[in-house]
Amino acid sequence: MRLAMWSGPRNLSTTMMRSFGARPDTVCVDEPFYAAYLTATGLVHPMQADILAAQPTDGDAVARQLLGPVLGGKPVFYQKHMTHHMAPALPRGWMDAVTNVFLIRDPARVLASYARKMDAVSLEAIGVPQQAELFDRVCQRMGEAPPVVDSDDILADPPGMLRALCDAVGLTYTEAMLSWPAGPKPEDGVWAPHWYDAVWASTGFGQPRPAAPDLPDDLRMLAEKAADSHARIAAHRLSPAR
């Protein structure tokens, strides 16, 4: 199985990669379109040169890797994808050959977290319109909504939500997904030193988050603009399995 997990930044996405990476049957890849995205858009991010050197900058080459042989021959290939990385110039046809899942988070929480790491903040930067586009594309192909999981639901009940997700995609749930050793992992992208300090210290899922943060006016307005798109996708989110 090739499992493509679509998320915006600052959204439990690396923790979910840790969870699936703890499965003995799974190999993971971390944001494989990052270099191609930077090349296609001309944007400049932290550790730019390292990212461009570490990954293919051609989107078609990335797509071929995602559909090619799986490292170690393992049966599950977990692909951690950022929705904002799918610039218009990058291919989407490969998505039809994988199982797509969407990981969502309250946009207000995403914006508050993202603004602590990056100076320029926009809905495009946190992948809101791109997530809606990709979600609609998958819905149209499948004739129904793909699995959707909310990061707050996962933190509130990790085993229940992971079991529900595994059931939805046809995998057997294992409690190995609940914990992992602290520290870097081989699949971590070269950008990990800038972004993954909390994940490197983790050995499992954290506590449920407190109430949504108070935002300055500019971020609050962005959160309000994202609300309808988020709610439309959130309407399909999974409930914990019992």
Side-chain angles (χ1 to χ4, degrees):
M1 168 180 288
R2 299 171 195 270
L3 184 61
M5 178 66 78
W6 294 100
S7 170
R10 317 308 292 168
N11 185 24
L12 206 71
S13 59
T14 309
T15 299
M16 288 295 286
M17 182 174 70
R18 285 288 187 272
S19 177
F20 275 84
R23 295 177 60 102
D25 62 354
T26 300
V27 64
C28 300
V29 65
D30 191 9
E31 301 182 25
F33 281 101
Y34 201 165
Y37 158 73
L38 294 176
T39 300
T41 61
L43 294 171
V44 176
H45 277 207
M47 304 187 68
Q48 178 99 355
D50 294 316
I51 297 168
L52 295 177
Q55 294 180 323
T57 57
D58 175 56
D60 290 322
V62 177
R64 288 193 294 270
Q65 289 183 350
L66 296 176
L67 300 182
V70 179
L71 183 67
K74 292 190 176 183
V76 181
F77 184 15
Y78 183 90
Q79 304 171 5
K80 173 194 165 190
H81 292 292
M82 294 287 101
T83 57
H84 64 284
H85 286 175
M86 295 308 292
L90 298 182
R92 285 156 172 70
W94 64 274
M95 293 175 61
D96 298 345
V98 302
T99 298
N100 296 280
V101 177
F102 287 79
L103 174 64
I104 62 172
R105 184 186 184 190
D106 177 0
R109 295 183 186 275
V110 176
L111 287 161
S113 180
Y114 189 84
R116 290 194 290 268
K117 289 284 188 177
M118 300 289 281
D119 294 331
V121 182
S122 67
L123 294 186
E124 289 75 18
I126 64 169
V128 169
Q130 299 94 324
Q131 187 170 59
E133 178 229 325
L134 296 172
F135 181 79
D136 289 344
R137 186 189 193 284
V138 176
C139 287
Q140 184 175 21
R141 181 182 65 84
M142 294 178 59
E144 61 182 359
V148 176
V149 286
D150 187 300
S151 62
D152 286 326
D153 293 340
I154 294 169
L155 290 177
D157 184 0
M161 288 305 303
L162 292 173
R163 187 183 298 276
L165 175 56
C166 288
D167 289 347
V169 300
L171 288 177
T172 300
Y173 168 72
T174 168
E175 290 189 355
M177 300 175 72
L178 296 176
S179 62
W180 48 85
K185 299 292 181 287
E187 62 265 24
D188 291 350
V190 296
W191 51 87
H194 181 80
W195 294 100
Y196 292 177
D197 49 339
V199 174
W200 280 359
S202 74
T203 58
F205 289 90
Q207 295 299 310
R209 301 178 178 112
D214 290 328
L215 297 176
D217 287 346
D218 57 338
L219 297 185
R220 180 179 52 78
M221 291 176 65
L222 288 177
E224 291 172 354
K225 289 180 180 179
D228 287 346
S229 174
H230 174 77
R232 183 166 61 83
I233 299 174
H236 300 283
R237 70 186 190 274
L238 298 174
S239 297
R242 303 301 180 191

